[in-house]
Amino acid sequence: YLVVDDRRAARSDLDVKDVIAEEESDNGPELVRLLLDALPPSQSGEPVNLTAPLNKEEYKYLGVQATQLILNSENPIDTLVEISENFPLYATEIARKVEIQGDLQYEMAVNARRVPRSVTMGWLNGKAMDNINDLNAFSILNMLRAERPHMQALTSLGLDSAQALQVLTGEAVAESFNQGSMFDGIFDASDRQEGGEVIMWLNDIEKDERYSKWPKNIDQILMPIYPGSFHSIRINLWNIVLGVDLSNRESLIWIFKHVSNIIERKFPFRWGIAPLTDTPEAEKAARIFYYVQKHYGPKETMDFIRSLIAAQQEGDTIDFLVANAFFNNLGINVKPLLELELDSSVSHDYDVVVEGQEPHAIEKLENAKKWAERLDVKIPKNELGHVFLNGRHYPLDSNFLMSLQRDAGSQTSYIQNELQTGKLSSGPEVDWSTYFYDLPSTPKRRNRYLFPDPETSPLQVKRLDVLFRNAGYEYPYRDLLNPVETDPPTPLLVTLWIVGDLDAPETMDMAIGAIKALEKHKDFRLGFIHAPKILPMSDAT
């Protein structure tokens, strides 16, 4: 086809001489042509055929070869623009002349594992950019404005711009961006430290008959599935633990409405309940459900929940008279029907069970309290309880199921990437039910103040340099209490700040405790900011 460049013809402000002069200034040597002519001849020494059309195999790596040519250029941006504007002109020559170097091959292979097929991704200073398909000049400006405070925070510490950029784009920071958000808020929610039997499991993917036809190999997680669905693998891969007050009728309704439905529809989630026992009613309910689950099993436990909420149409707490009636029905009707042989060494009387007079029941309830204390979960006011998805904490509310779908998908992507890169074995030696609990980054204990829930906590994270300058202090702050120097010197990676009324006894106790800790541990330093409740009056006032 014939192409006529009439872009300058539309400009009425130029006369013929101006157009000719401008064309002559633009007709310098083409960057891409110079790069292609500088390439070495083929190994066979025969001239490259540039007239024959490209075949299927030559198209396969054409994009990578174009990338290699751009990397070879001293002006990569101009080369990218020229190739983009004239790609059909250079495609044949690029495909048959450009050799892909080993470094680029390795980087492309690594990126191929990180980025799913047919997905476009971009990074700014190592951070993945959102909505990359809708990228435009204005959204890029917004990203740069959001990135500027991070650079300013680093340069305020004494780094120059090149060093600050190196910190932001370093491997450790990139790793934290790729995995940090997924691992944030994950704790060891198992009951292993309490000796087991604290969590009442309502189903078991690896043992229950309903999942018997599912494949057992974790490699099945690499198979493509429909978006929003989950891999049906006979492994306890997604473990959900509910920390709830079992005397709370609304909590029982949530369990029966959602958990029962999910189990019946054979979604690959294992559900368990850890009872919270902050009130006498919660302790009684926990004893009843521990008994029912131990002697009658998960199915009868769910039926027991259904019976309780069906027989009581209102009220915040379950009716223990109703619970007594259904408890006795288990022994009269359900036990003969299921042909169960109950343990004769323990009492099966309702009053004995609910009062916790059995030694085994007392120990189990104490372990449940230890579990709740370790994970800092208490019966919340006007809320249903707590949830842990493979150790990640959420409040139990109507939004949890959306969080479940989102974060289970994130955990799936992480496992897929680890398997594809060979960092994770697919052999039987991996215990998937506790895999996330046993990661080096997973704390064994939870503190709601140190690990607040980002969606519900009022805690705000602020830049320290901004806070100091807004309060009238210099930054970096120089008046710090450093530990005694050691040989070899211990790097100071943490600065602990005590901010409060230092005239108050409780604040002084905190400061004294921090100083005592500094005498034992030499890897941090202390700073104090006095914030009195009553400002001292000066002579002028």
Side-chain angles (χ1 to χ4, degrees):
Y1 56 87
L2 180 62
V3 177
V4 179
D5 188 356
D6 59 353
R7 288 173 292 183
R8 295 180 178 84
R11 297 174 57 183
S12 59
D13 57 328
L14 296 177
D15 57 21
V16 177
K17 295 181 180 180
D18 294 330
V19 172
I20 295 174
E22 188 173 340
E23 288 180 350
E24 290 177 351
S25 64
D26 289 344
N27 285 336
E30 298 175 345
L31 287 173
V32 178
R33 171 54 51 206
L34 292 175
L35 290 170
L36 291 173
D37 291 342
L39 292 174
S42 62
Q43 296 180 355
S44 62
E46 298 180 359
V48 177
N49 185 358
L50 301 179
T51 58
L54 295 175
N55 57 45
K56 184 177 180 180
E57 286 299 318
E58 289 174 325
Y59 276 115
K60 190 174 182 180
Y61 298 104
L62 183 56
V64 184
Q65 289 173 302
T67 302
Q68 182 67 69
L69 189 65
I70 294 170
L71 291 175
N72 293 343
S73 175
E74 296 181 356
N75 300 302
I77 296 294
D78 293 338
T79 306
L80 171 63
V81 171
E82 189 174 330
I83 289 180
S84 301
E85 293 177 346
N86 305 280
F87 192 75
L89 178 64
Y90 299 119
T92 303
E93 202 165 354
I94 290 174
R96 292 173 181 169
K97 280 189 174 183
V98 178
E99 296 288 339
I100 304 173
Q101 298 178 5
D103 292 343
L104 180 60
Q105 287 180 342
Y106 175 76
E107 187 171 352
M108 296 290 289
V110 172
N111 291 338
R113 297 190 183 101
R114 183 185 303 174
V115 182
R117 291 183 179 180
S118 73
V119 173
T120 303
M121 294 186 69
W123 292 265
L124 176 61
N125 282 353
K127 182 180 179 181
M129 295 187 291
D130 298 327
N131 302 322
I132 189 69
N133 293 323
D134 300 327
L135 202 64
N136 56 58
F138 300 104
S139 61
I140 292 176
L141 285 175
N142 291 333
M143 293 178 191
L144 293 175
R145 290 191 185 100
E147 196 70 15
R148 184 188 300 162
H150 303 305
M151 293 290 290
Q152 291 175 339
L154 291 173
T155 53
S156 68
L157 297 174
L159 302 177
D160 58 34
S161 58
Q163 291 171 329
L165 182 62
Q166 187 177 1
V167 170
L168 284 177
T169 57
E171 185 176 349
V173 176
E175 189 75 12
S176 68
F177 272 122
N178 292 335
Q179 301 178 356
S181 60
M182 193 195 71
F183 290 131
D184 289 345
I186 288 184
F187 308 90
D188 183 358
S190 69
D191 54 8
R192 294 173 295 176
Q193 296 189 51
E194 291 73 29
E197 297 189 355
V198 170
I199 301 173
M200 296 179 285
W201 294 108
L202 301 177
N203 66 326
D204 192 318
I205 307 294
E206 298 176 356
K207 296 180 181 179
D208 292 352
E209 182 65 24
R210 60 162 56 95
Y211 313 108
S212 60
K213 295 182 180 180
W214 289 5
K216 299 180 180 180
N217 193 340
I218 188 62
D219 288 333
Q220 291 292 320
I221 203 171
L222 301 176
M223 300 297 291
I225 57 175
Y226 289 106
S229 58
F230 301 95
H231 294 82
S232 298
I233 308 173
R234 201 175 188 190
I235 296 174
N236 290 321
L237 189 58
W238 295 285
N239 303 274
I240 305 170
V241 181
L242 306 175
V244 294
D245 172 11
L246 292 172
S247 68
N248 186 335
R249 182 171 168 272
E250 291 298 323
S251 297
L252 295 183
I253 291 175
W254 196 98
I255 293 172
F256 181 75
K257 180 180 178 180
H258 297 293
V259 177
S260 176
N261 184 38
I262 290 174
I263 293 176
E264 289 299 323
R265 294 178 64 183
K266 294 175 62 175
F267 284 98
F269 301 108
R270 183 168 73 145
W271 294 85
I273 300 175
L276 305 181
T277 57
D278 297 346
T279 65
E281 292 79 10
E283 286 191 4
K284 289 181 181 180
R287 296 187 188 108
I288 295 172
F289 277 96
Y290 271 138
Y291 174 89
V292 175
Q293 199 269 348
K294 177 182 179 182
H295 294 284
Y296 292 94
K299 182 179 182 302
E300 297 303 325
T301 302
M302 192 63 74
D303 289 343
F304 191 74
I305 293 176
R306 177 182 57 80
S307 301
L308 287 178
I309 60 179
Q312 183 180 348
Q313 300 300 319
E314 57 184 15
D316 297 331
T317 306
I318 62 171
D319 189 335
F320 285 94
L321 293 177
V322 175
N324 189 355
F326 286 116
F327 182 94
N328 293 332
N329 179 66
L330 290 173
I332 296 172
N333 297 318
V334 177
K335 174 188 171 184
L337 181 65
L338 299 179
E339 299 180 353
L340 297 176
E341 291 294 334
L342 300 182
D343 187 357
S344 59
S345 63
V346 298
S347 174
H348 302 285
D349 180 72
Y350 175 81
D351 292 329
V352 175
V353 171
V354 80
E355 294 301 327
Q357 299 177 11
E358 290 288 345
H360 180 72
I362 296 174
E363 179 185 2
K364 186 174 289 189
L365 218 62
E366 288 298 320
N367 290 336
K369 292 179 179 179
K370 293 178 182 178
W371 182 89
E373 180 182 1
R374 177 171 62 86
L375 294 172
D376 197 11
V377 289
K378 296 182 178 180
I379 299 176
K381 295 181 180 179
N382 303 322
E383 294 182 10
L384 300 178
H386 305 265
V387 193
F388 292 91
L389 167 61
N390 279 342
R392 183 164 191 174
H393 177 263
Y394 310 82
L396 181 59
D397 54 23
S398 57
N399 297 324
F400 168 67
L401 294 180
M402 291 188 294
S403 301
L404 169 62
Q405 183 169 9
R406 178 193 65 210
D407 293 338
S410 299
Q411 293 178 358
T412 300
S413 298
Y414 167 76
I415 294 174
Q416 289 172 334
N417 182 69
E418 295 295 286
L419 289 172
Q420 288 175 331
T421 56
K423 297 179 181 178
L424 191 57
S425 171
S426 59
E429 66 275 7
V430 180
D431 185 355
W432 293 104
S433 65
T434 60
Y435 172 74
F436 286 94
Y437 300 156
D438 296 331
L439 291 173
S441 59
T442 302
K444 302 300 180 184
R445 303 182 65 87
R446 172 179 173 267
N447 185 306
R448 76 187 77 174
Y449 302 110
L450 297 179
F451 304 97
D453 294 314
E455 299 178 0
T456 60
S457 174
L459 181 67
Q460 297 182 7
V461 179
K462 300 289 187 180
R463 281 177 48 191
L464 201 59
D465 61 321
V466 174
L467 292 178
F468 269 79
R469 293 191 178 101
N470 289 344
Y473 291 93
E474 66 169 332
Y475 188 83
Y477 195 70
R478 305 298 180 185
D479 297 331
L480 297 170
L481 187 60
N482 292 285
V484 177
E485 293 186 3
T486 59
D487 188 21
T490 303
L492 300 178
L493 304 178
V494 175
T495 301
L496 176 65
W497 291 97
I498 306 295
V499 182
D501 185 2
L502 295 176
D503 295 327
E506 57 271 17
T507 310
M508 283 302 299
D509 290 341
M510 185 183 299
I512 292 171
I515 293 173
K516 290 180 178 179
L518 189 63
E519 294 177 352
K520 295 181 180 180
H521 306 282
K522 312 296 184 182
D523 55 352
F524 73 100
R525 57 185 180 177
L526 275 174
F528 299 92
I529 298 293
H530 182 39
K533 294 181 180 179
I534 301 176
L535 294 176
M537 298 185 66
S538 65
D539 296 338
T541 58

